[in-house]
Amino acid sequence: MNTTPFFDRALPVWPADTLREKNITIGLYAAVSCADCLRITTAETYRVFVDGVFYAYGPARCAHDHYRVDEIALPATATHVAIEVVHYAVNSFCYLQADGFVQAEILSCGRVIAATGGDGFAYYRLSGRVQKVQRYSYQRPFAEGWRLAPSYTAWRTGKACAFTQPIAVSETAEKRLVARGIPHYTFTDTFARRQIAVGTFTEGHIPTEYQKDRSLTRLYDPDSGNLEGFPESELEWHLSDTVQEWRYATHTAIDEDVEEIRLCAHQWALLALPMEKTGFITARLHCEENTSLWLLFDEVLTDGDVDPLRMDCCNVLRLDLAAGDCDFLSTEPYGFRYLKAVCQTGQVTIRDLGVKELTCPIPVATAYTDDNENRQAIYTAAVETFRQNSVDIFMDCPTRERAGWLCDSFFTARTEQALTGQNTIERNFLENFLLPDRFPCLPEGMVPMCYPADHSDGNFIPNWAMWLVLELEDRLQRVGDREFIDRFRPRVYALLDWFVQYENADGLLERLPGWVFVEWSKANDLVQDINFPTNMLYARMLEAVDTLFGDTALREKARRLKECIRQRSYNGAFFTDNEVYGADGLPHPTGECTETCQYYAFFTGVATPQTYPDLWRTLTTDFGPHRTTAYPHVHPANAFIGNYLRLMLLAQEGHREQLLSEIEDYFGYMAQRTGTLWEHVGITASCNHGFASYVACLLLDA
């Protein structure tokens, strides 16, 4: 009998021969009466349907060998409870790789009426979702392909279904369970009513070279940490190859609102949401004959069309539909603004095509009034960006990765406090870094760059570990929560021990292993052998440890380190980025300067406007979104984190009007194009990135 405080009778179970089988879906069904509560957890994801209607999704993600338990109130009228559990069994940045299991029980007035490992549930293997498809991206598990018929959901209400195979389950190892920690999700439907183009296409156009991202080319490559999936030779449907063999023969631009779309073979329609949204793709489908329908989507239009492979993602769903009516809901959440419905064969009528939004479960305050329409739009975009990237953890983006990155979280945590008055999601996010005994594949003392995630290649960002300490200091000042912070003491000091081994005689970090990351700009090419932005951040981290745990020796060490940086990095006009060792065995300055290095100097206190007034004047006058050509040797900053550090510094020093003007210049075009804020200054990457929501804080405080 399970005696955990989370379950009365339920035990963790799974089909014994599929603990590590990739990309499978298991169904649990219970007929109920007067049920009022469902408790559940699983290794990756589940969806709950009550009386055939989508009702819940989870669980909240947790650390290695730990699983968060959801307790879900059920409607008193419920007679059917169906649970779909997806098991990917591959390494990713989105879900941790683990043995499959589900642990669930349904209660009525405090009495268990169905429990895994006991009575009340029927178990099925579900076959509607095609198993052997490619990964969605390097960072996320599998894309989706489906074979559907009008009866494919019948099992959810206790009826016979050709897509189910009854199976037996066995008890698995006991799990370490953790409270969910955040509210449950509510789901809002947003439909793509605006049709912006229609046309036709032809098939069979073999490209000279197929576009293949690293999720295809680096499978089981030891240098990439043996990324797991199905090799191309085993794929039943090769989604990305197929869409590259199409040529769009006609393209008619239109602009009209539609209630339904009717497509015949080799026809397509392009639709738009009001702005980028994130959630489960939905559609009500009617086919007069067997039909193959494809859904292609992206955040932006490329040359007036959807490029489903733009971000090295497979933004492609294939639905093979039998004649009749079918309601579709994707298994995974996706982020997009534009969706292209392509009918390959047959004919289909599509209604209510759109997204069932998966967003922040905590109410978000949207009150902000600005007579400047551009700034108002930017604020709205910042709020949307926060909502879509703050679900169970803080995420970098809701598209390519859905990963919980440090450094990004420093900024998003401040936004959570500003928009919700809470720091509930931040606590979950940080707690995940506390729970494991150790982090697999990483050096002793180091923490993951993003988590929960599998870093099978052993990669890590030492700089992002420093940002964890800065976020803890920031949380202590924002929230308090002394007991929670104290739990981090062993992990923080283990991290310090790791860094000490890379200090040289002057106390500077040199030749750091891993992915030394400053910013997506020229700054990232100057990270060895002695990188000054990294050492500036290191000194700031040492000060943060003193704030957290009262270690004055570390503050004195930081003071000496900052003075050394000033002497070695500053060239009389700018701070230079790095030194490299020469043939004489001594470090020599490269003379390279980046705009971002200057912002690191001021952010970390190596420089202040009072101690370096000329440099500060130069930065505020000649740099920024409309920087002059006066300093061509100083490489420009990118959005993250250089431009954000700049804006923080302008706010800190009271440059209100300049701050507001630059916010318009940096983010106005993003808000207009997607209604969200981006990872870079261009569309080369995600156009919806969690840290960018920090702009809301800057506007609220201005």
Side-chain angles (χ1 to χ4, degrees):
M1 179 68 66
N2 189 321
T3 58
T4 74
F6 296 100
F7 292 99
D8 292 340
R9 286 174 44 198
L11 300 172
V13 300
W14 198 250
D17 57 345
T18 64
L19 287 174
R20 287 290 176 100
E21 186 175 352
K22 295 188 289 288
N23 201 28
I24 63 173
T25 308
I26 302 299
L28 288 73
Y29 170 78
V32 299
S33 176
C34 299
D36 52 36
C37 178
L38 167 67
R39 296 170 180 159
I40 183 170
T41 188
T42 188
E44 286 126 327
T45 71
Y46 71 79
R47 299 189 299 175
V48 177
F49 296 83
V50 175
D51 295 334
V53 178
F54 176 68
Y55 191 77
Y57 168 83
R61 286 169 285 182
C62 203
H64 278 94
D65 302 319
H66 292 75
Y67 305 92
R68 296 191 184 274
V69 179
D70 291 347
E71 187 165 306
I72 302 166
L74 296 174
T77 56
T79 55
H80 307 280
V81 175
I83 305 167
E84 291 182 0
V85 181
V86 174
H87 183 43
Y88 292 119
V90 294
N91 46 355
S92 77
F93 283 10
C94 187
Y95 309 110
L96 292 172
Q97 187 174 23
D99 288 349
F101 85 96
V102 59
Q103 190 167 359
E105 61 188 23
I106 300 173
L107 290 83
S108 173
C109 299
R111 180 176 62 88
V112 176
I113 59 175
T116 53
D119 298 326
F121 281 116
Y123 303 91
Y124 304 98
R125 178 150 180 176
L126 306 180
S127 59
R129 195 166 59 87
V130 176
Q131 180 181 18
K132 293 189 175 183
V133 294
Q134 67 201 86
R135 290 181 67 112
Y136 171 78
S137 67
Y138 179 84
Q139 299 87 350
R140 289 180 66 174
F142 297 98
E144 293 186 49
W146 290 82
R147 291 191 178 93
L148 303 175
S151 64
Y152 96 102
T153 60
W155 73 276
R156 295 176 186 164
T157 52
K159 302 181 182 68
C161 176
F163 293 88
T164 60
Q165 175 188 349
I167 54 173
V169 296
S170 303
E171 183 180 349
T172 69
E174 187 174 354
K175 309 302 178 186
R176 300 165 74 176
L177 304 178
V178 181
R180 176 179 172 84
I182 57 172
H184 291 284
Y185 308 118
T186 56
F187 306 97
T188 301
D189 290 315
T190 298
F191 300 115
R193 302 290 193 202
R194 180 169 159 252
Q195 188 170 233
I196 58 177
V198 295
T200 60
F201 74 101
T202 56
E203 301 182 67
H205 304 275
I206 307 303
T208 304
E209 183 177 0
Y210 286 96
Q211 179 181 335
K212 297 181 185 293
D213 66 72
R214 54 183 171 164
S215 68
L216 287 167
T217 62
R218 297 189 186 179
L219 282 180
Y220 301 102
D221 172 9
D223 293 335
S224 298
N226 282 321
L227 185 73
E228 298 184 27
F230 296 107
E232 290 188 80
S233 60
E234 296 182 15
L235 297 181
E236 186 173 356
W237 289 351
H238 199 314
L239 303 175
S240 62
D241 272 11
T242 299
V243 299
Q244 291 179 77
E245 295 170 1
W246 298 344
R247 294 293 178 270
Y248 297 105
T250 63
H251 183 290
T252 303
I254 55 178
D255 188 358
E256 61 182 12
D257 291 338
V258 294
E259 291 297 320
E260 66 178 31
I261 309 154
R262 297 181 181 179
L263 298 174
C264 296
H266 295 134
Q267 292 181 338
W268 58 266
L270 179 60
L271 297 102
L273 295 168
M275 63 180 66
E276 180 172 349
K277 295 288 186 178
T278 298
F280 307 98
I281 295 177
T282 63
R284 295 170 54 214
L285 307 168
H286 173 76
C287 301
E288 295 293 337
E289 57 185 290
N290 292 350
T291 298
S292 183
L293 173 67
W294 296 64
L295 302 176
L296 285 54
F297 50 94
D298 196 12
E299 301 170 289
V300 294
L301 294 180
T302 303
D303 297 327
D305 204 353
V306 166
D307 177 1
L309 311 181
R310 175 184 64 91
M311 267 200 305
D312 288 342
C313 302
C314 185
N315 281 331
V316 179
L317 296 178
R318 174 179 171 178
L319 314 179
D320 276 14
L321 306 163
D325 295 317
C326 178
D327 290 346
F328 175 71
L329 180 71
S330 67
T331 292
E332 280 286 312
Y334 303 100
F336 60 94
R337 184 176 186 184
Y338 299 96
L339 193 154
K340 188 172 188 176
V342 181
C343 183
Q344 185 181 25
T345 60
Q347 54 182 322
V348 60
T349 300
I350 308 171
R351 299 180 180 88
D352 294 341
L353 181 61
V355 59
K356 189 174 291 294
E357 293 186 51
L358 176 65
T359 59
C360 180
I362 302 169
V364 174
T366 58
Y368 174 81
T369 302
D370 196 318
D371 292 336
N372 182 299
E373 293 182 1
N374 289 334
R375 292 199 295 266
Q376 187 69 54
I378 291 167
Y379 180 82
T380 301
V383 171
E384 272 299 313
T385 301
F386 172 79
R387 291 178 66 248
Q388 296 177 46
N389 284 285
S390 303
V391 282
D392 52 345
I393 58 173
F394 296 141
M395 299 186 302
D396 61 334
C397 62
T399 50
R400 181 185 66 236
E401 298 188 6
R402 299 188 68 81
W405 287 84
L406 290 170
C407 186
D408 298 50
S409 62
F410 175 92
F411 296 88
T412 315
R414 289 185 172 186
T415 312
E416 181 187 16
Q417 179 124 13
L419 297 184
T420 72
Q422 304 179 35
N423 283 93
T424 306
I425 297 172
E426 182 190 28
R427 185 181 173 92
N428 261 30
F429 175 86
L430 291 173
E431 186 180 44
N432 288 343
F433 286 87
L434 270 178
L435 291 172
D437 299 326
R438 63 178 304 275
F439 298 106
C441 304
L442 298 187
E444 189 67 32
M446 182 47 61
V447 297
M449 53 193 179
C450 62
Y451 198 68
D454 298 309
H455 300 288
S456 308
D457 59 357
N459 200 13
F460 58 93
I461 299 178
N463 313 58
W464 269 207
M466 299 181 200
W467 279 100
L468 170 62
V469 181
L470 267 60
E471 183 176 344
L472 292 174
E473 178 194 43
D474 201 51
R475 181 180 174 87
L476 182 63
Q477 295 167 345
R478 284 185 280 106
V479 183
D481 212 353
R482 180 76 253 181
E483 181 275 334
F484 182 69
I485 297 296
D486 284 343
R487 290 169 59 192
F488 273 94
R489 179 189 287 265
R491 191 129 277 171
V492 169
Y493 276 89
L495 181 62
L496 289 175
D497 289 342
W498 185 89
F499 278 114
V500 164
Q501 63 186 317
Y502 297 101
E503 291 180 356
N504 63 22
D506 295 317
L508 293 166
L509 296 174
E510 64 176 37
R511 294 178 172 174
L512 283 176
W515 182 15
V516 183
F517 190 98
V518 175
E519 180 193 72
W520 287 121
S521 69
K522 181 65 176 179
N524 257 18
D525 297 331
L526 307 170
V527 296
Q528 296 292 357
D529 292 320
I530 298 172
N531 177 255
F532 289 117
T534 298
N535 276 284
M536 293 169 183
L537 193 63
Y538 184 48
R540 182 67 190 85
M541 182 192 76
L542 297 175
E543 293 174 337
V545 177
D546 175 44
T547 301
L548 291 168
F549 305 120
D551 195 331
T552 56
L554 290 179
R555 188 169 294 273
E556 174 59 22
K557 180 178 178 179
R559 186 195 64 77
R560 296 193 303 268
L561 182 56
K562 285 183 174 182
E563 186 56 38
C564 181
I565 293 168
R566 294 182 191 110
Q567 294 174 8
R568 300 267 288 268
S569 174
Y570 190 62
N571 66 7
F574 295 95
F575 286 91
T576 59
D577 276 62
N578 67 327
E579 294 176 345
V580 297
Y581 277 91
D584 58 3
L586 298 175
H588 298 276
T590 65
E592 294 274 18
C593 293
T594 66
E595 183 182 350
T596 297
C597 181
Q598 317 314 308
Y599 300 143
Y600 267 88
F602 283 92
F603 170 75
T604 60
V606 169
T608 68
Q610 293 72 39
T611 56
Y612 291 83
D614 292 341
L615 175 57
W616 177 250
R617 189 178 308 110
T618 298
L619 290 175
T620 55
T621 303
D622 297 330
F623 287 82
H626 299 292
R627 60 175 288 184
T628 70
T629 59
Y631 304 98
H633 64 288
V634 180
H635 303 286
N638 200 341
F640 192 64
I641 65 173
N643 293 347
Y644 285 84
L645 295 183
R646 175 184 177 85
L647 295 173
M648 290 174 67
L649 293 166
L650 291 175
Q652 178 182 301
E653 296 302 318
H655 293 255
R656 180 180 183 275
E657 294 306 316
Q658 184 175 356
L659 171 68
L660 292 175
S661 175
E662 292 194 6
I663 285 175
E664 286 189 68
D665 293 333
Y666 278 131
F667 306 109
Y669 64 95
M670 301 180 187
Q672 293 301 320
R673 188 162 180 183
T674 62
T676 51
L677 303 180
W678 305 355
E679 180 179 7
H680 296 324
V681 295
I683 62 168
T684 54
S686 158
C687 295
N688 186 348
H689 234 66
F691 66 73
S693 64
Y694 178 68
V695 175
C697 297
L698 295 171
L699 288 171
L700 288 169
D701 292 341

